[in-house]
Amino acid sequence: VGGRQVDSVDQGEEGVGKSSEDTMQATPSTPIATTPEEGHFSRLMVFVRLFRRPSNCFLFSQGIPGCMPWGVIGVFLNDYLIEDRSAPSKLGAFAVVATYGLGTVIGQLSGGYLGKRLYVWNPSYVCYLMGSCQILSIGPLLLLLNLPFEFYTLVPISILGGIFNGVPGPNIKAMVLNVNTPDTRGSAMAMFSLTDDIGKGLGPPLVGILIVRFGRQTAFSISACMWFVSGVLLLMVGRSIGADEDYVAQQVAIQQQARLAHLGIQDTDMDIVVETTETTEQKQEIGGAGAKATQTSCVTHAQTPVTRVVVL
């Protein structure tokens, strides 16, 4: 491991090292007593560290303006089409809103697949895809809000708008996971959900204020333009995601090396297990955890069953 051969023969053999039980035994860490105040401060510092990464700042911030138009779609759009756009029936207005939701599902499925393909080439391309689709989704929504109600005209526009708006959803969550270390991903997703919920909650009250000032049509149009702010923030993630992912890979390697040091094995950043084999000579190359982990090889030479450290 780490350029060294690690073998240990069963205890019947003398002078070859420790047994498998000794290899697996680790010295327990000494528990550190903390007061409740220290525990609360530690949890607070986790959230503070999240905002030290530029990608996190952009991804969290885009949630508030990005979810405000959804408050309009979910709360006001159906009634608006009936009262202000003279929809001939409630069913027709509902069908237009429902097809927007159908387009969103299509956009999420296709966006997730396309984002996965682009991520293999360059993670920044996924950010550019998300930001572009978020900005493009403004046009169809403005058409829904300002065109006279013609069912066969608005339904294709509604589906197209839903497709554009559905693309960022699954990719944003993947970006949040990729730019945070495993021990902070839960907190990162909680913060991401919080900002999304703030946007959904603030949407209807703020639109209500705009309605009093400008009327419903102008207020809803202003709300739809908030997707431009969200799209710009997503585009900016493309400038920082590379450095943030490199930072995460470095931190994961350091954490793994610390765990191995605790087991008394140095100069490697891989997890280990102990495996018993009866082969006489093997050479195995196994990649480490994650795309950026360093590959290594483990070579054993034995004439009897040996206990071997295998790199995962």
Side-chain angles (χ1 to χ4, degrees):
V1 177
R4 304 201 308 270
Q5 175 181 330
V6 182
D7 292 337
S8 60
V9 183
D10 292 344
Q11 297 207 359
E13 298 288 333
E14 296 181 358
V16 189
K18 298 185 292 184
S19 66
S20 60
E21 294 181 357
D22 294 335
T23 304
M24 291 297 293
Q25 183 177 4
T27 304
S29 59
T30 304
I32 301 175
T34 59
T35 64
E37 292 77 8
E38 291 174 338
H40 295 317
F41 179 76
S42 177
R43 286 190 289 271
L44 177 62
M45 289 304 298
V46 171
F47 288 97
V48 172
R49 286 197 298 271
L50 292 178
F51 287 93
R52 293 178 180 174
R53 311 315 308 166
S55 296
N56 278 337
C57 296
F58 297 139
L59 290 169
F60 297 157
S61 300
Q62 66 80 34
I64 296 177
C67 287
M68 286 182 62
W70 282 108
V72 173
I73 295 171
V75 177
F76 298 108
L77 184 57
N78 189 71
D79 179 70
Y80 173 79
L81 293 175
I82 297 172
E83 299 295 333
D84 294 62
R85 296 290 97 189
S86 303
S89 66
K90 293 182 179 180
L91 182 60
F94 171 77
V96 172
V97 178
T99 53
Y100 196 95
L102 175 62
T104 301
V105 174
I106 297 173
Q108 289 175 343
L109 295 175
S110 59
Y113 175 79
L114 184 57
K116 179 181 178 181
R117 306 291 293 184
L118 290 176
Y119 187 85
V120 175
W121 295 337
N122 192 325
S124 297
Y125 294 165
V126 183
C127 303
Y128 301 148
L129 172 69
M130 294 189 298
S132 300
C133 288
Q134 190 80 301
I135 294 174
L136 289 173
S137 63
I138 298 174
L141 183 56
L142 290 176
L143 292 176
L144 290 177
L145 294 172
N146 294 278
L147 287 178
F149 190 92
E150 294 289 342
F151 182 79
Y152 293 106
T153 301
L154 294 186
V155 166
I157 294 174
S158 181
I159 294 176
L160 180 63
I163 292 174
F164 282 140
N165 196 255
V167 170
N171 294 305
I172 292 176
K173 295 178 181 178
M175 293 295 103
V176 173
L177 294 177
N178 290 341
V179 298
N180 290 281
T181 55
D183 57 317
T184 61
R185 284 172 181 166
S187 301
M189 290 302 298
M191 181 61 68
F192 174 77
S193 299
L194 176 63
T195 55
D196 270 12
D197 291 339
I198 290 175
K200 294 174 184 177
L202 289 178
L206 291 179
V207 170
I209 296 173
L210 293 174
I211 289 174
V212 175
R213 179 67 178 84
F214 301 106
R216 296 222 296 182
Q217 185 174 1
T218 303
F220 294 162
S221 298
I222 293 174
S223 177
C225 292
M226 296 302 293
W227 275 334
F228 180 80
V229 179
S230 176
V232 171
L233 291 172
L234 290 175
L235 291 174
M236 294 177 67
V237 178
R239 300 176 60 88
S240 61
I241 189 171
D244 287 342
E245 286 192 346
D246 290 342
Y247 171 81
V248 169
Q250 180 184 12
Q251 292 302 309
V252 170
I254 291 173
Q255 292 172 7
Q256 291 175 337
Q257 190 171 12
R259 288 198 300 268
L260 291 176
H262 183 70
L263 295 174
I265 301 176
Q266 305 292 335
D267 300 326
T268 181
D269 59 354
M270 306 297 176
D271 290 331
I272 62 168
V273 296
V274 174
E275 178 183 324
T276 301
T277 181
E278 296 184 1
T279 57
T280 59
E281 181 174 353
Q282 290 185 343
K283 181 176 181 180
Q284 186 176 15
E285 293 189 8
I286 307 175
K292 297 182 181 298
T294 304
Q295 290 188 339
T296 185
S297 61
C298 181
V299 184
T300 62
H301 300 271
Q303 300 298 328
T304 57
V306 299
T307 300
R308 180 180 54 151
V309 176
V310 180
V311 179
L312 293 179

